[in-house]
Amino acid sequence: MTKIQTKLEDIKKVAKINEGKNLKYYILTMGCQLNENDSEKLCGMIEQMNYSKTENLGDADLIVFNTCCVRENAEDKLFGKLGEVKKYKEEKGTIIAIGGCMMQEKHIVEKLKESYPFFDIVFGTHTLHKFPEDLYKIITSKKRIEDILDIDGEVIEGLPIKRDDNIKASVTIMNGCNNFCSYCIVPYVRGRERSRMPKEILEEVRSLAKSGYKEITLLGQNVNSYLRVERENNIEIEKYEGVNSFATLLRAINKIDGIERIRFISPHPKDFTDDVIEAIRDCDKVCKLVHLPLQSGSTNILKVMNRKYTKEQYLALVDKMKAKIPNVTFSTDIIVGFPGETEEDFEDTLDVVKKVGFEQVYMFIYSRRVGTPGDKMENQIPEEIKHKRFDRLKQLVESQIEIRNKEYIGTIQNVLIEGKSKNNDNMLTGRTDSNKVVVLNGSDELIGKLIPIKIIADHMWYLEGTISK
Ligand code: SAH
Ligand code: SF4
Ligand code: F3S
């Protein structure tokens, strides 16, 4: 039996035990889009094992938490939730499974065993495909399972998947990260960088297109180094449609009929080669919004962060893209209060924000992560200063977004209509190429269509539009 066949057999074994029992599962995903994509795979397997989804914790026979550990608040959230589910375990024996990035941290699993010993399964980021096997063991033997691998586990292709949306889909193109930015826990919990083979990715996108999906987001911690590790280490790359890099992957996906938009997160500024810039320019389906994580605008801090670019190199890259890609826009991630950040360093960050004019800035207060070099640095910034700087950055960003939003008024934007507006059932909602939310009046037949919309009003977090005649 091949590996995937074994996995499918495990699913069938559990499905048989559960048959006719009308069981339900609840899942909470706490992390980034990669984690959400993992959850979609978990849901795919769980639903084939005869559980149906519930949004109500109390109704569930199986509760799954898919955790994140990139910042401290993620931990508080998990422990809070565990406190909440204890009573269900006691009352009706609900199976409690905890997975994802945080489970790769030894001190967290120790804490769970000490303070929340009622869980049934913990599984890490390398053992997702073993979830059906773990569940089978719990159902048949009731012995608590820790299924965590320190080494990079295999990524098994062909597992079932249950996607959250029917217009937009995420496709993971690589796993892990080799960059070791000094603040970041991800390389320790997600393992080394490994790319999926071109054939697997292109076949997945083609089957999504066949099922009617319009927008694809390619996911990875460093997408523009796709297949680089493989190339550098002479690992055989299965030949498929000439794809051997991120740029050639974009070009190949751009040719797939039915797909109308391609996005990708996150690229790393240090790996933004000209072939990628040219592919973004040439491929009509690739959105011209580039998410380009800055982290800090200070060359000194960037060096300590191990980001491998300077303030000037970042700005030069932005200028190059502005010159080469018509209508390019940018979004970014910024960390405030990294150890040793001076007032001057922080002002460099503000300066880059002013110069680039981002569409969207995801702002984070530096959070110490056990095991990272940043955590051991002595010059930590006091909380109060971090918060004050965060507020100043937020103010600048919001004032810029306000100005940018006004510039949209009167323009025609291609908007992919995603569904009914959350706040008003009579309105539709969609997104521009630059990922701005647009709310408009229109009939349900427009859902899933990419149409020109005239922007007529602006608000902080969305624009109002009308169908352009
Ligand atoms: N690989 C991606 C995303 C990594 S995690 C990238 O390199 O851009 C998403 C964001 O979380 C990061 O871009 C960073 O801004 C933020 N982040 C990571 N570690 C953090 C920490 N210890 N404290 C605060 N923010 C952090
Ligand atoms: Fe973390 Fe840096 Fe890797 Fe992004 S590139 S996941 S920030 S180590
Ligand atoms: Fe994502 Fe959080 Fe893991 S950001 S990779 S879920 S640590």
Side-chain angles (χ1 to χ4, degrees), residues 31-32 35 67-70 101 185-186 189-190 221:
C32 61
N35 240 33
T67 62
C68 167
C69 55
V70 79
C101 294
I185 192 78
V186 171
V189 297
R190 285 269 170 182
Q221 297 297 356

Side-chain angles (χ1 to χ4, degrees), residues 201-368:
I201 296 171
L202 289 166
E203 281 180 353
E204 185 173 345
V205 178
R206 244 177 239 124
S207 101
L208 287 166
K210 247 198 204 145
S211 319
Y213 284 89
K214 303 292 176 208
E215 181 175 305
I216 299 294
T217 301
L218 305 174
L219 299 180
Q221 297 297 356
N222 190 1
V223 286
N224 50 344
S225 71
Y226 175 67
L227 287 177
R228 189 191 52 198
V229 172
E230 287 72 11
R231 285 195 307 271
E232 283 173 1
N233 295 298
N234 292 322
I235 295 171
E236 195 188 338
I237 301 171
E238 224 180 296
K239 284 208 166 46
Y240 197 74
E241 297 183 12
V243 175
N244 61 0
S245 64
F246 186 57
T248 47
L249 179 69
L250 284 179
R251 287 181 191 274
I253 296 178
N254 196 59
K255 287 188 198 134
I256 297 178
D257 283 341
I259 297 300
E260 303 205 28
R261 267 187 176 169
I262 304 162
R263 298 187 188 274
F264 53 89
I265 45 169
S266 287
H268 195 301
K270 78 176 163 62
D271 297 311
F272 231 111
T273 44
D274 286 349
D275 61 338
V276 177
I277 297 178
E278 283 151 20
I280 299 171
R281 178 197 63 198
D282 297 344
C283 295
D284 58 329
K285 296 175 185 173
V286 173
C287 290
K288 307 309 175 209
L289 171 74
V290 179
H291 182 69
L292 198 62
L294 170 66
Q295 313 301 1
S296 167
S298 152
T299 296
N300 292 335
I301 294 293
L302 286 167
K303 187 150 198 278
V304 193
M305 283 180 163
N306 193 28
R307 289 292 290 177
K308 303 202 165 71
Y309 53 85
T310 62
K311 175 187 182 186
E312 290 69 30
Q313 283 167 331
Y314 184 93
L315 286 171
L317 178 62
V318 166
D319 283 344
K320 189 186 236 171
M321 285 197 249
K322 282 183 176 170
K324 281 195 166 186
I325 309 169
N327 301 320
V328 70
T329 53
F330 295 94
S331 60
T332 200
D333 289 356
I334 293 177
I335 299 175
V336 194
F338 184 76
E341 184 186 72
T342 62
E343 183 57 27
E344 237 184 335
D345 293 322
F346 176 63
E347 276 170 18
D348 270 331
T349 299
L350 298 180
D351 186 46
V352 175
V353 170
K354 281 181 203 145
K355 288 194 165 113
V356 178
F358 295 104
E359 296 295 313
Q360 178 75 268
V361 181
Y362 301 90
M363 296 168 271
F364 307 105
I365 290 177
Y366 172 66
S367 169
R368 294 173 77 162

Side-chain angles (χ1 to χ4, degrees), residues 4-155:
I4 177 68
Q5 278 170 334
T6 323
K7 303 297 159 202
L8 298 176
E9 281 304 313
D10 290 336
I11 292 176
K12 274 192 206 145
K13 274 193 328 206
V14 182
K16 196 145 180 256
I17 298 175
N18 287 345
E19 215 168 346
K21 292 189 182 158
N22 190 23
L23 299 177
K24 296 205 161 53
Y25 78 101
Y26 171 97
I27 187 164
L28 178 68
T29 310
M30 303 176 185
C32 61
Q33 278 170 285
L34 278 157
N35 240 33
E36 279 170 16
N37 195 227
D38 283 348
S39 282
E40 290 181 330
K41 289 172 196 155
L42 280 166
C43 292
M45 294 190 277
I46 293 171
E47 293 193 10
Q48 288 202 356
M49 292 186 283
N50 281 326
Y51 291 91
S52 60
K53 197 171 190 167
T54 172
E55 301 295 330
N56 187 347
L57 271 172
D59 287 346
D61 302 282
L62 165 67
I63 293 177
V64 184
F65 295 127
N66 192 8
T67 62
C68 167
C69 55
V70 79
R71 287 171 292 274
E72 195 177 354
N73 50 14
E75 281 155 31
D76 304 340
K77 192 168 171 190
L78 174 68
F79 296 135
K81 277 283 164 196
L82 283 172
E84 209 179 306
V85 301
K86 188 172 178 214
K87 62 171 187 279
Y88 301 122
K89 176 86 223 171
E90 288 165 352
E91 281 165 17
K92 53 183 268 192
T94 310
I95 298 173
I96 314 261
I98 317 168
C101 294
M102 209 193 289
M103 297 307 108
Q104 296 290 139
E105 295 186 291
K106 288 203 176 68
H107 68 279
I108 296 282
V109 177
E110 286 310 313
K111 178 163 178 183
L112 284 179
K113 285 198 267 187
E114 222 177 274
S115 312
Y116 305 90
F118 53 86
F119 69 83
D120 296 287
I121 306 173
V122 293
F123 59 101
T125 54
H126 305 299
T127 44
L128 198 74
H129 54 272
K130 287 179 68 198
F131 187 72
E133 187 185 326
D134 295 339
L135 195 57
Y136 180 78
K137 284 189 195 151
I138 277 293
I139 295 172
T140 53
S141 78
K142 305 244 182 296
K143 232 177 110 209
R144 191 167 80 193
I145 292 169
E146 281 174 49
D147 195 358
I148 299 161
L149 275 179
D150 279 338
I151 46 161
D152 302 341
E154 268 178 292
V155 179

